[in-house]
Amino acid sequence: MPRTRTQQKALAVLNYDLFQVESLSKPAPVTLYTKIREAAKVTSDIEPSISLSEGELPPEEELARMYERFNWIYFGGRLPSVKIEYSTRMTSAGSCAPHRRLIRIGRKYHELFPDELADTLKHEMIHLRHFRHDAAFKAEAARIGASIKARSHPSLRKPPKYIYVCSVCGREYPRQKRLRMASCGRCSRGGRFDRRYKLKLKKNQD
Ligand SMILES: [Zn+2]
Ligand SMILES: [Zn+2]
């Protein structure tokens, strides 16, 4: 799949994916549903009116329609109804909370990789039935043509501002925010603060 200039820049900055020769030309704008139909091998259907240009993401109502569509195409309509929302903070492609019937789609990730939206949704839909990326999950991913790996773009992962360490077991706790009165979760009993295992600041990038 050809990457856009923005994507290539992001990858080049990270010195990542450099061995792949790619053209710098922008891909032609495609409608989301062309992609879905290709993926689903559906040839005859009413053309929905939505058309996406690069970096432009469909509204949440459209995600709900995609979900319905995939539900019928791939799951015989047997998946429960769930809420699908964008997350602006999440740096991963997507997440799924089956018990809350909630699928979240990472906005930042898909602003960079808009072509992967359908794939992300399919991946998260499998999670409604299979919590982990186990053999059953992989079989389902192969069946409906979804990615197995949970994806997250390296440029979206911020380095931690603070790293705390437990001086007893040595476990590190990278954090974006300061911790006050925190003790090591591995060493402290019962999830309570325990002064003996108080975390010490090891790195401070402020
Ligand atoms: Zn996953
Ligand atoms: Zn510890």
Side-chain angles (χ1 to χ4, degrees):
M1 189 190 300
R3 289 196 165 92
T4 66
R5 195 181 282 270
T6 320
Q7 291 169 348
Q8 293 206 354
K9 252 195 243 164
L11 294 170
V13 164
L14 291 149
N15 201 23
Y16 177 75
D17 213 20
L18 289 179
F19 298 101
Q20 208 177 332
V21 182
E22 288 170 322
S23 89
L24 281 167
S25 63
K26 280 189 182 179
V30 290
T31 64
L32 184 59
Y33 275 83
T34 312
K35 292 237 144 214
I36 295 171
R37 271 207 307 280
E38 276 169 14
K41 298 186 173 58
V42 175
T43 48
S44 65
D45 197 28
I46 311 145
E47 185 74 40
S49 58
I50 186 162
S51 158
L52 301 174
S53 53
E54 195 188 333
E56 195 184 312
L57 296 175
E60 285 175 343
E61 307 86 75
E62 194 53 40
L63 297 180
R65 282 194 284 272
M66 277 173 75
Y67 177 90
E68 273 310 298
R69 196 175 161 74
F70 288 161
N71 192 6
W72 283 106
I73 293 170
Y74 299 116
F75 301 94
R78 285 190 292 272
L79 292 185
S81 57
V82 301
K83 183 173 165 50
I84 303 168
E85 60 183 33
Y86 282 111
S87 165
T88 45
R89 295 184 62 183
M90 203 160 74
T91 59
S92 57
S95 74
C96 177
H99 52 287
R100 290 171 63 200
R101 297 202 170 174
L102 176 66
I103 287 177
R104 306 183 86 192
I105 302 292
R107 206 178 249 290
K108 286 177 185 164
Y109 182 92
H110 291 97
E111 275 165 1
L112 211 44
F113 302 102
D115 288 350
E116 295 180 16
L117 190 62
D119 181 46
T120 300
L121 184 56
K122 287 198 273 181
H123 177 107
E124 300 309 331
M125 286 172 81
I126 302 172
H127 276 312
L128 290 169
R129 286 179 167 172
H130 305 282
F131 193 68
R132 284 178 297 161
H133 300 136
D134 53 13
F137 183 100
K138 286 173 188 163
E140 280 293 88
R143 181 178 71 81
I144 74 170
S147 293
I148 291 166
K149 275 264 174 105
R151 286 159 293 121
S152 163
H153 192 267
S155 74
L156 298 174
R157 264 179 252 135
K158 277 194 258 169
K161 275 193 187 152
Y162 308 101
I163 295 174
Y164 291 88
V165 64
C166 169
S167 49
V168 178
C169 76
R171 183 177 185 152
E172 292 193 342
Y173 294 82
R175 288 291 184 275
Q176 293 299 342
K177 289 185 175 163
R178 254 179 196 291
L179 291 175
R180 300 169 154 262
M181 300 293 282
S183 63
C184 176
R186 190 195 271 166
C187 299
S188 313
R189 297 263 161 242
R192 291 238 186 88
F193 174 75
D194 187 327
R195 178 202 310 266
R196 290 171 296 170
Y197 311 113
K198 188 170 194 265
L199 298 180
K200 292 189 171 61
L201 188 60
K202 185 182 163 190
K203 176 191 147 187
N204 184 349
Q205 259 198 353
D206 242 2

